[in-house]
Amino acid sequence: MERGKNMESIPTDLILEIFTRLPSKSVARFRTLSKHWASTLGSPDFKKLFLARSSARPRLLFAVERYRYNEWLFFSSPQPQNKKSLLLDYHTKFSGDVSQYICSYASGLIYFPFVRVIDEDKPLICNPITGMYDGLVVRKYSNSRGFLGFDPIDKQFKVLDFHSVLTLGGSSGEPKWRDKEGIYYAPYHRCSNAGICINGVLYYLVQTVMEPSFVIVRFDVRSEEFKFIVAACLSDHLEQPSGLSLLNFKGKLGVINCNCAYAGGRRTVELCLWVLEDVQTEDWVRYVYTLPQNEVLGSCKFSVAGVTATGDIVLCMRYTCKPYYVFYFNPVKNTLQSVEIQGFGEELETVENRGVVYAFVDYVEDLSLNDAKQLKSSLSEIKSLCSCCQKEGQHNHIGAEV
C-alpha cells in the first residue's frame, strides 16, 4: 500500500491523550510547528486535561539562585517512590539583578519582582519548565518583593504588592495595578520569608512595630479581602524570622522551624511545626519532631521545602554540591529517607560556583502562559566547551544564554 493512501486520520481525542503523557516542554515544542498544532495544544480543553494528568505525576522543582552571577536556574525531578537516587532535568535560566529578591510560586508558575530578560528590567511571571514568560507592568515607587497568588475557581493569577493588586489573564486589556485598602498603612514590617498560596488564599508573615510579635496576613485571591491572624506562638523567633518557613500542611497553613542541638559529638535535628487548625478562631496546634540520625543531614546546612500530599516533610540541602541530597521525613512512621539528586552540572557543584537551592514539592506542570514570550535557551540545544580539552562536550547549564 502506498504511504499515506487510504489511511484514516488519528482521532483528535487520541492525539490529545498522547500529548497529555508528554512533558510540558515537549508540548511547547509541538506548538511551534504550525497554527493547527498551536490551536489544538493551546485549547482550554487540552490545558484542563493536561493539568489533570500532571497532577497525578507531581515533581520536585528546584530553583537555584546564583546571586554572584545574577541568575536563576530551574531543574526538576520526579518525586521519589522509595528510590535512592534521581536524575534532574534542566529547564530554564533567567538572568538579572535578583539577589535582593525571592521568587514567589503559585500553581506551577514563578513570579520575579524584578529581573532582566533580554534587555528589559521588569517584574515577570514565568513557566519554569517551558521557559514561557510574560513581562508585567512596573508599579512605581515599589521596593516590595511582592507575592503571586492563584484563584482556582476563576483560574486567575494575581500579584499582591503591598496595597496594590495586579490581575493577570483578564479580558479588560493590558493589566493595571489597583490599590486596595486595609494593609498599606498598617504598622507592620514584612518579613523576608516567601509567601505561600493554599487553595486560593495567599499567606505571608509580618512583624508588628510597636509590640514585637508575628502576624499572618491572609489575602483571599478571589475576593481580595485581607485578614490578620495573630501568631503569638512564634514569638520565640522574633530575632530570626528568616528561620521560619510557611508551608501547606494537608490544605492548612503551617509554619515550621528547625532547631539543632549537639550531644555526644552528634547533631540532632528537631522540627517545630505550628498548624493553623481554624482560621476563624485562630487556633494553632504545635507539633515537635526529632528526626532519626542521619550522617549527611547532621553535617550540612538545609532548609524545609514543604510537605507532600502524602504527609512527608521534605528537607533539602541549602547549596548545590556533589553529592546533593533531599530528605523525606514521615512523622507518622518516624522514618527519614535520603535521596541523592544528580545532574546540577559540574560547575554548579563546585564550592566557588555553587548556588542557593529553593525546592518546591508536588510541582504540577501547567500550560499557562502558552501565548507568552519564549526564552530561546529553553527550546534550543545547549552546548558548551569542556574546560580541560576545549572540545565540545556534555551539556553545561551555566553556559546557557537567554
Side-chain angles (χ1 to χ4, degrees), residues 238-256:
L238 288 173
E239 295 182 359
Q240 293 182 323
S242 60
L244 299 172
S245 299
L246 305 185
L247 47 80
N248 182 346
F249 187 79
K250 301 179 180 179
K252 299 178 181 179
L253 174 66
V255 185
I256 197 166

Side-chain angles (χ1 to χ4, degrees), residues 342-402:
Q342 303 174 354
F344 279 119
E346 183 178 349
E347 187 169 353
L348 271 177
E349 292 168 346
T350 61
V351 175
E352 60 272 17
N353 292 305
R354 67 184 184 179
V356 180
V357 179
Y358 302 89
F360 303 90
V361 302
D362 289 337
Y363 178 81
V364 174
E365 294 183 271
D366 197 344
L367 294 181
S368 300
L369 293 185
N370 261 346
D371 299 321
K373 299 177 183 179
Q374 178 73 57
L375 276 180
K376 293 181 180 179
S377 64
S378 63
L379 291 183
S380 61
E381 191 76 5
I382 300 170
K383 300 180 179 180
S384 65
L385 295 179
C386 174
S387 59
C388 60
C389 60
Q390 294 299 304
K391 294 180 181 180
E392 191 172 335
Q394 297 179 347
H395 297 345
N396 186 322
H397 313 311
I398 308 305
E401 292 184 357
V402 176

Side-chain angles (χ1 to χ4, degrees), residues 190-202:
R190 181 172 294 178
C191 298
S192 60
N193 311 65
I196 187 169
C197 190
I198 304 174
N199 299 328
V201 177
L202 179 63

